[in-house]
Amino acid sequence: MKRLLLNCDQVFEVLTRGPFPSGDPQDEAVERHLRACHECRQLAEALRPAVAMMHEAVSSDEAE
């Protein structure tokens, strides 16, 4: 099984395009990067409340 290695730019894209984890096979590679990269881990932590608020603000009917 080949391991996917992501750089900081790729992780930033994943974290800002939608909810994370998304269930995508790429999630494991992002988690691995976050364990190794302090800056990206800080970004992920900073984004977590904003993502939660967006999900609360948009009802399931509006999301569809």
Side-chain angles (χ1 to χ4, degrees), residues 11-20 34 39-55:
V11 170
F12 177 83
E13 183 180 323
V14 169
L15 294 175
T16 57
R17 85 171 150 223
F20 178 81
L34 292 175
E39 289 83 10
C40 288
R41 190 168 48 253
Q42 285 182 312
L43 173 66
E45 288 298 321
L47 289 173
R48 189 169 289 161
V51 171
M53 283 193 322
M54 286 191 303
H55 287 287

Side-chain angles (χ1 to χ4, degrees), residues 25-62:
Q26 188 180 37
D27 286 354
E28 181 183 336
V30 173
E31 290 285 356
R32 197 168 41 254
H33 181 92
L34 292 175
R35 285 192 297 272
C37 181
H38 179 72
E39 289 83 10
C40 288
R41 190 168 48 253
Q42 285 182 312
L43 173 66
E45 288 298 321
L47 289 173
R48 189 169 289 161
V51 171
M53 283 193 322
M54 286 191 303
H55 287 287
E56 289 175 10
V58 178
S59 73
S60 59
D61 293 336
E62 291 174 316

